[in-house]
Amino acid sequence: MPNTQLQAAAPSARREVPAPAVLPAIPVTSSPFQPDKVRHLVFGTLPALRFTIKDLHMRGYAEPNDWSQPLPTGRPSEVMAILTKRIEEPQIP
């Protein structure tokens, strides 16, 4: 007949486990949307960069003057430009 009694673990096998930390609840508020920012990095030759910036402008995405001046990347014939754009409140249909 099998032994169905539970055996206590040997004292040397027991470990003290710290209680889990309890974090405070984050209150849910109905504050208005806080705009966020995204940063676009475009890499390529100077003509390709200028074309892309103009193309995005024609599509209504960003003004050409919102982009940084072309910056060298250290690679031959490659430059980069940076656009930081503010994200507006999303429109939910």
Side-chain angles (χ1 to χ4, degrees):
M1 179 170 181
N3 186 357
T4 58
Q5 293 179 347
L6 296 176
Q7 295 180 352
S12 61
R14 292 184 186 162
R15 292 185 181 159
E16 292 294 323
V17 177
V22 177
L23 300 176
I26 298 173
V28 177
T29 62
S30 60
S31 65
F33 177 79
Q34 296 295 318
D36 205 353
K37 295 178 184 177
V38 294
R39 186 167 290 150
H40 301 280
L41 306 172
V42 178
F43 293 83
T45 63
L46 186 57
L49 221 74
R50 288 183 176 154
F51 172 82
T52 302
I53 291 170
K54 288 178 185 177
D55 185 56
L56 290 171
H57 172 65
M58 289 187 334
R59 295 171 188 265
Y61 187 73
E63 293 293 320
N65 290 336
D66 293 344
W67 290 87
S68 71
Q69 292 294 316
L71 304 164
T73 64
R75 294 182 174 156
S77 302
E78 185 182 66
V79 293
M80 67 176 281
I82 304 168
L83 168 69
T84 302
K85 188 167 174 75
R86 207 173 116 173
I87 303 298
E88 300 298 327
E89 183 172 359
Q91 300 297 318
I92 301 172

